[in-house]
Amino acid sequence: MAVNMPDNPLLPDRFFRWFASHGWQPHAHQLALLEKARAARSSLLIAPTGGGKTLAGFLPSLIELSETPASHPKLSSAARTLRRSRGLHTLYLSPLKALAADIRRNLERPIGEMDLPIKVEMRTGDTPLSARTRQRQHPPDILLTTPEQLALLLASPDAPFLFRDLKRVVLDELHSLVISKRGDLLSLDLARLKALAPQVQFVGLSATVANPEELCDFLVPGGARADLVFAREGAEPDVSVLDFGAEMPWAGHSSRYALAEIYKLIERQKMTLVFVNTRSQAEMVFRELWNINDKNLAIALHHGSLDATRRRKVEAAMGAGKLRAVVCTSSLDLGIDWGDVDLVIHVGAPKGISRLQQRIGRANHRIDEPSRGILVPSNRFEVLECRAAVEALARRTQDTPPLRTGSLDVLSQHIFGMACGGGFDADELYKEVTSAAPYRKLSRKDFDDAIDFIATGGYALRVYERFARIRKGADNIWRLTHPRFARQYRMNVGTIVEAAMLRVRLIRGSSKAQETRGGVARRGRMLGQVEEYFAENLAPGDTFIFGGEILKFEGISENEVLVSRTKSAEPKIPAYDGGKFPLSTFLAEGVRKLIAEPEHWRVLPAAVRDWLELQALHSELPQPGNLLVETFWRGGRNYLVCYPFEGRLAHQTLGMLLTRRLERAKLRPLGFVATEYSLAVWCLGDVDGAIAAGVLSLDELFSEDILGDDLEAWLAETALMKRSFRNCALISGLVERRFPGMEKTGRQVTISTDLLYDVLRKHEPDHLLMRAARADAATGLLDIRRLGQMLARVKGRIAHRSLDRVSPLAVPVMLEIGRETVYGEGADALLSEAAEDLIREATSDAEPERPAKPTGTRTRLRRRAVPR
Amino acid sequence: MLYWPDERTLIVSDLHFEKASFFASRGVMLPPYDTAATLDALARLIVLYEPSRVIALGDSFHDSAGGARLSPENRAFLLSLQAGREWIWITGNHDPERIEQIGGEFCENFSRGDVVFRHQPGDGAFEIVGHFHPAARVSVRGRSLRRRCFASSDRKLVLPAFGSLTGGFNIRDVVFSTFMGGDFFAHMLATEQVFSFSAANCLPD
């Protein structure tokens, strides 16, 4: 790096001296970005956490803004005049408001210390109206904002004035933005910016991803890819898996067994981050750590359901170095630098390698020192997953998902926005929209359908023409028919549809929930939020854990969940979901491979090794190319257990479909349960016998056509499909998120999207929103795409084992049975009783109690009497 | 719906015809199939019971202008359903005025013997009313189920909303206790059956 020459042409004196005054040297990637900026190229910087990424993104703009035409006369004659424009020079987009605020503080330092004449402002949902108006009329040099706020700005008639002179767009944490519908909206907004300001350069900042070329493609609308710049990789992270020998649990996600060890680790560090996968897990771990916190270490809790002020407090305490540990979820995944973290403990399965790597990167923000991470698996399968993840990390593999196909509900929202911003010509807008990478393959028909949807709802029954929200004028421009629709758009902008959330308010306990209704005496402290569907399943008096304490549910009043403190020691309702990630395809492959290759088992704890060896002995090991299906009788039911390793969502879908087929085969299925790795279906009928007699063919049972009619029939009923539809209905603006002035009348007035779904499915199954919901379901809640790929892969390669008892590998999924439906006291005792039975049965060398067989031999296709 | 065999009278409540088009006129483009769907359901009942009288307990139209928005097909269908039988439109808070060209008779309340039919409860000895869209929630094995329901006491019977785009209002709300008078019951609508619960055993939302 020959960059320490004062006359480096890329770095003006003033900047060089500033770097030197702090004893720094510009990183190579910072200079590389400067060079790209001088060449008017867009660029994507891939850098690990702590690599001076943000400064790299802003340096070109700071330099350009510090240079006046007078001091560099030779530049003012060029086509790319570097001048202080009165318009906006640089737009910075971050996925989080808090991140934008953090960046603003970071920018103040160079600007203040070098005394640069640069005005930086933020624009978020909290920015006062007066400031927003001023920003539109007298824009700052640098505006820091979020994608939703950008959409709003672009939907205003001021947009052409505001963005005409825009020089650069800096997109932070791009990897996290592109994976959701937010990314779809962002891509459309970038296309709009490019149309308003053809000169604009895009600078993306991203963590390491599997396919950086895709991000380059995303970054610049219109096919001119951004240039890739890689920062030097940080030191190899030091990651290990906690080994607990024989104590390793068979199932469950609580990691309770490891808490004492986790506590010891926290004790030895100055600052530890404890990442978990779900909010309920965060609550449990936090509470249990405090139960054993003899030394009174400052351990805090941070997750997305907690009240924002509580989270800010935790963040501030972290920054000030006042905490010893924070138990957190993905709420601390993104870029903000919260003080010096020495160790990251990851409790539970990592689910994905890239996310794990980013989390571990939180430990030690200094690029040259290795970050330390310790993985704590909560059951035996998770040991395998953790092991596979450690190996993938060592090979620096990535498993970020491929780029999305833009969704139609987001497109509709964008079209509505463009009509609000002064109107659009359909041909031009189509060209613009298809310049955005996720929408490159959008058909003109889908685009026109989206226009039609915004205008009149897009129904075959064309009865709403007179109510049209947008109409094409004689000049071919589509415009709003009434200015009030602009307000409707503004109220509903954005793609983040949280499951409807209810605020949790602490009140004084009452014996009767009735007393708390009716608006009297219910002012109390706000604790945070829970998902509406969780609250709806609570009965008054139920206890659950939230914010680290056990609370009693008193009732729901309007949009608040009323709770009181309780003395009970165990929550009655075990958990509420929140932030579940599916197992990544790549990690699933790693687990499959690890199981199939006994020569690699030496890295595994003895208990897990024994478990796999027993599986090989009693049944067989699933192979990467096949699908192992085991059948056995237990307690009067014939179980079918298979091991697709495709994640819980895909398995649930498969479970629903298999049950339908088994029903038709008259095998009387009773239920199923899915884990990340396997699926168990149980029947009253004799599945074993049907297979042996050739009446039931497993090849046919698992054939791809299961995704045809059976899927369609099931989709018609499933609540998951309705949830997909609800999201599309809200994003597209079919129904409003809230009705102006109607908030007070509460939840009863909101139109049930379930009813709308039923109506559309019956009358217009091919409506734009039904298509959007189906596309979502395919990749989201139902994971149909992944299921389809799996079925294609194992076609004709199904390995069946008819066993006389549960196999070792089947124990974890068998233990999940009943876990979701059994509530109340005693459920745990029942479970552990059942658990011990199963484990004894699977591992014992003794003869099973039922018909004898030679131990350890393979018992293919044995008929059994049906125990009734 | 309710059927009174002795009187050969079919009673429905809160049809909310043209609710979707009402929202559409405000820029919320709900699917325009609600009126047809509600009419179809009503027609099936009429074919099944062949009533000599139909009473709609008010809020038959989502708004007073709703009658004018009826499509010609739906209007013709609605009129054909009235052929050969008495048809009583009780006015409601959504449709307080007489609506033209939809047939039938209009009134604020209607009585047969001791029974009074009206939209909202009054102080009669026994009234059959609508208006509230009652729904009940019960907890079964840790899962909660919410369904439309009838609510009944020895003085009042509240019918569930019949309209295809209508929501439900929990019977545990304090409003119900103000007029039901003492203990009352929820009769929840399942796919093929009605299940009765004491209201006290149902859950609030």
Side-chain angles (χ1 to χ4, degrees), chain A residues 798-811:
Chain A
I798 289 177
H800 175 233
R801 287 269 159 178
S802 179
L803 306 174
D804 59 3
R805 54 182 163 179
V806 59
S807 76
L809 221 50
V811 171

Side-chain angles (χ1 to χ4, degrees), chain A residues 140-455:
Chain A
D141 301 302
I142 299 177
L143 184 67
L144 313 175
T145 190
T146 59
E148 289 72 26
Q149 291 296 321
L150 172 60
L152 284 172
L153 282 172
L154 286 170
S156 96
D158 295 328
F161 160 76
L162 192 57
F163 294 111
R164 193 181 45 210
D165 295 323
L166 188 68
K167 188 71 203 293
R168 187 167 294 111
V169 183
V170 180
L171 297 111
D172 210 348
E173 307 274 1
L174 188 61
H175 60 281
S176 79
L177 278 168
V178 297
I179 55 175
S180 64
K181 288 189 177 181
R182 264 186 123 185
D184 296 353
L185 185 65
L186 179 64
S187 75
L188 294 170
D189 288 336
L190 295 184
R192 183 92 271 257
L193 281 176
K194 177 90 178 157
L196 290 174
Q199 75 281 358
V200 72
Q201 298 170 17
F202 298 95
V203 178
L205 311 175
S206 167
T208 319
V209 291
N211 207 340
E213 285 77 18
E214 282 184 348
L215 282 195
C216 290
D217 215 18
F218 180 98
L219 198 52
V220 188
R225 276 190 178 179
D227 295 342
L228 251 178
V229 175
F230 287 97
R232 196 162 54 93
E233 299 227 28
E236 192 93 16
D238 164 15
V239 187
S240 55
V241 183
L242 206 58
D243 183 351
F244 272 90
E247 283 173 58
M248 182 56 64
W250 288 79
H253 303 279
S254 72
S255 302
R256 240 176 251 265
Y257 74 100
L259 284 158
E261 200 63 28
I262 292 174
Y263 187 73
K264 273 189 225 153
L265 288 167
I266 292 173
E267 251 183 293
R268 276 184 240 131
Q269 314 294 328
K270 280 214 285 292
M271 171 68 200
T272 305
L273 279 186
V274 184
F275 273 106
V276 297
N277 285 325
T278 66
R279 288 170 197 168
S280 59
Q281 239 176 334
E283 293 280 0
M284 196 282 294
V285 169
F286 174 70
R287 195 181 156 75
E288 297 286 321
L289 282 177
W290 269 98
N291 280 345
I292 56 172
N293 192 358
D294 301 331
K295 304 229 163 61
N296 242 348
L297 304 179
I299 300 173
L301 176 66
H302 192 286
H303 65 66
S305 287
L306 292 176
D307 191 48
T309 50
R310 273 181 86 171
R311 273 181 282 157
R312 294 297 97 77
K313 265 190 198 159
V314 171
E315 289 156 10
M318 267 175 87
K322 287 182 191 154
L323 295 179
R324 295 293 297 276
V326 180
V327 180
C328 56
T329 62
S330 52
S331 60
L332 280 187
D333 267 358
L334 288 179
I336 308 163
D337 200 344
W338 303 117
D340 293 330
V341 177
D342 304 304
L343 173 68
V344 165
I345 297 176
H346 196 285
V347 178
K351 304 290 173 212
I353 296 153
S354 297
R355 186 185 307 107
L356 179 68
Q357 190 189 35
Q358 286 152 29
R359 287 181 167 182
I360 288 172
R362 287 265 160 251
N364 237 327
H365 262 194
R366 287 168 296 278
I367 193 160
D368 294 320
E369 296 168 28
S371 34
R372 283 184 55 216
I374 294 179
L375 310 184
V376 183
S378 33
N379 59 50
R380 292 168 182 229
F381 267 117
E382 287 188 359
V383 172
L384 300 173
E385 196 181 319
C386 289
R387 218 43 256 182
V390 167
E391 275 158 34
L393 279 179
R395 289 196 305 272
R396 295 189 181 270
T397 327
Q398 298 293 335
D399 60 356
T400 43
L403 211 55
R404 291 170 46 85
T405 301
S407 55
L408 295 173
D409 50 344
V410 176
L411 173 67
S412 304
Q413 186 185 103
H414 180 71
I415 289 174
F416 198 12
M418 292 306 95
C420 296
F424 61 86
D425 174 283
D427 293 344
E428 280 172 22
L429 187 59
Y430 176 66
K431 220 192 279 166
E432 188 182 304
V433 161
T434 49
S435 76
Y439 291 93
R440 200 150 290 156
K441 290 183 183 145
L442 176 77
S443 71
R444 180 64 195 241
K445 182 187 175 293
D446 281 347
F447 176 79
D448 288 336
D449 282 355
I451 294 183
D452 195 24
F453 169 78
I454 288 303

